[in-house]
Amino acid sequence: MKSTSRDAVLYFSESLVPTARKALCDPLEEVREAAAKTFEQLHSTIGHQALEDILPFLLKQLEDDEVSEFALDGLKQVMAIKSRVVLPYLVPKLTTPPVNTRVLAFLSSVAGDALTRHLGVILPAVMLALKEKLGTPDEQLEMANCQAVILSVEDDTGHRIIIEDLLEATRCPEVGMRQAAAIILNIYCSRSKADYTSHLRSLVSGLIRLFNDSSPVVLEESWDALNAITKKLDAGNQLALIEELHKEIRFIGNESKGEHVPGFCLPKKGVTSILPVLREGVLTGSPEQKEEAAKALGLVIRLTSADALRPSVVSITGPLIRILGDRFS
């Protein structure tokens, strides 16, 4: 094909295309790799027609148990070589309900930067797929697929889109979508190796605001996500968050009309997700930060039940006693 004119390739395409299709589903990995290079050459010569002739066939083969594993790898080989062309073609097909998160997860691992361009379509689709599987035996498998997709994103723009879109979805009126968004957000905050320091304020703000949610799943997942974030923070980032944290605690306090905040009253969890930040403020902050942290701590105590506070009493009172011993106005 490299040595032949476009017209000749088009003339013989009826023989070439089935050969490439068959080779991309071959049981031997070496054959599939070679077939991906053949596909690349075919695409370079006849353009979009190569996508139309080969990719729908591969997607159909995924439904055949005997060859689905080979067809999936064939798609992956093609993606590794031509992701910028193949992904825009596949994404609409894979994100149309029923969403194929298994294939999306598999292909995301080789998509590279091309994945970021399609996150606006992929994220709502994986949230929808997870929502449909919540409470079913397939829930864990679906979560694993969602994890594979979001952890494949490596560039800053992609991380910003993930955080903004998931936080937006946690405000959805539909409880299933809020649950799915909170679960994926927790997976991202707990397992991503990305540096999301520049998004700390929006993450903390968005997660704290979920502490008044009516869904137990959203409460647990948002608590775990916030805990994962605060556990990783160094002292400097903790101190920088105090003002924002106090503002958001005031917000959810007003929202709950001074009643206990459900997210602070979770059994065995209580206030330990935000305590490290407030402790750091009380112990090492500037006089202004100490005051802000102490006020926030006072508010948290009022918004938390006695049972939920009990495990944290020592952690809370130690820093406060230290303040009483110092000379602060």
Side-chain angles (χ1 to χ4, degrees):
M1 279 192 280
K2 272 185 180 175
S3 316
T4 312
S5 69
R6 182 174 183 275
D7 289 346
V9 172
L10 278 169
Y11 183 78
F12 288 106
S13 64
E14 283 187 16
S15 305
L16 292 168
V17 166
T19 307
R21 280 180 186 166
K22 189 177 175 188
L24 281 165
C25 301
D26 195 273
L28 284 176
E29 188 179 354
E30 297 88 335
V31 176
R32 296 194 298 272
E33 282 177 16
K37 288 173 187 161
T38 306
F39 169 84
E40 181 185 22
Q41 192 56 48
L42 200 57
H43 181 266
S44 300
T45 310
I46 64 172
H48 189 74
Q49 191 59 43
L51 304 177
E52 290 286 358
D53 286 346
I54 290 175
L55 296 182
F57 171 82
L58 285 177
L59 289 173
K60 188 142 186 61
Q61 296 303 98
L62 297 176
E63 296 163 20
D64 183 337
D65 289 344
E66 281 186 27
V67 293
S68 67
E69 187 188 336
F70 307 134
L72 191 56
D73 187 66
L75 268 176
K76 187 178 174 183
Q77 300 290 351
V78 163
M79 273 282 295
I81 287 177
K82 288 290 240 187
S83 62
R84 288 181 183 278
V85 178
V86 173
L87 208 55
Y89 183 88
L90 288 179
V91 164
K93 291 180 168 44
L94 297 175
T95 53
T96 304
V99 180
N100 197 331
T101 52
R102 171 176 162 251
V103 180
L104 275 174
F106 199 73
L107 298 184
S108 295
S109 62
V110 290
D113 291 349
L115 185 64
T116 298
R117 300 177 183 190
H118 304 281
L119 281 174
V121 177
I122 291 172
L123 283 172
V126 295
M127 283 189 273
L128 184 66
L130 180 57
K131 185 197 87 165
E132 301 294 329
K133 295 290 189 335
L134 289 176
T136 73
D138 294 332
E139 182 181 336
Q140 291 299 320
L141 184 62
E142 204 64 40
M143 280 167 60
N145 290 338
C146 294
Q147 176 176 321
V149 172
I150 60 167
L151 297 189
S152 297
V153 177
E154 293 174 347
D155 59 306
D156 289 341
T157 307
H159 292 298
R160 180 180 53 74
I161 293 169
I162 286 174
I163 291 167
E164 287 177 0
D165 286 15
L166 291 178
L167 285 174
E168 180 68 33
T170 61
R171 297 190 280 274
C172 177
E174 193 186 344
V175 67
M177 280 306 275
R178 293 205 309 277
Q179 289 175 343
I183 288 169
I184 298 173
L185 199 51
N186 181 22
I187 290 171
Y188 175 78
C189 294
S190 308
R191 301 185 185 164
S192 174
K193 299 280 191 289
D195 177 14
Y196 44 69
T197 315
S198 55
H199 305 289
L200 271 180
R201 284 173 177 270
S202 54
L203 270 171
V204 169
S205 167
L207 290 167
I208 281 269
R209 290 186 180 212
L210 296 176
F211 278 27
N212 272 330
D213 201 277
S214 57
S215 159
V217 173
V218 173
L219 289 177
E220 292 277 349
E221 296 292 336
S222 54
W223 193 100
D224 287 345
L226 187 59
N227 190 51
I229 291 169
T230 54
K231 272 201 313 201
K232 294 178 194 170
L233 294 181
D234 59 26
N237 279 321
Q238 285 180 329
L239 293 176
L241 266 183
I242 288 167
E243 193 180 342
E244 183 73 24
L245 195 54
H246 188 193
K247 186 183 89 179
E248 294 305 332
I249 293 165
R250 278 201 305 270
F251 178 86
I252 58 171
N254 292 335
E255 203 176 46
S256 69
K257 298 181 172 61
E259 298 292 316
H260 291 156
V261 169
F264 289 155
C265 301
L266 294 173
K268 297 183 180 172
K269 291 184 173 181
V271 297
T272 50
S273 62
I274 57 169
L275 202 50
V277 178
L278 298 179
R279 269 177 61 92
E280 192 64 36
V282 168
L283 290 170
T284 68
S286 65
E288 293 77 14
Q289 286 171 327
K290 283 179 191 279
E291 183 179 354
E292 191 94 43
K295 281 180 176 172
L297 208 42
L299 187 52
V300 166
I301 291 166
R302 283 204 295 279
L303 297 172
T304 308
S305 66
D307 284 346
L309 273 177
R310 197 164 285 122
S312 305
V313 166
V314 176
S315 300
I316 292 171
T317 50
L320 293 179
I321 290 169
R322 182 95 58 96
I323 278 193
L324 295 176
D326 287 336
R327 292 198 182 100
F328 286 110
S329 57

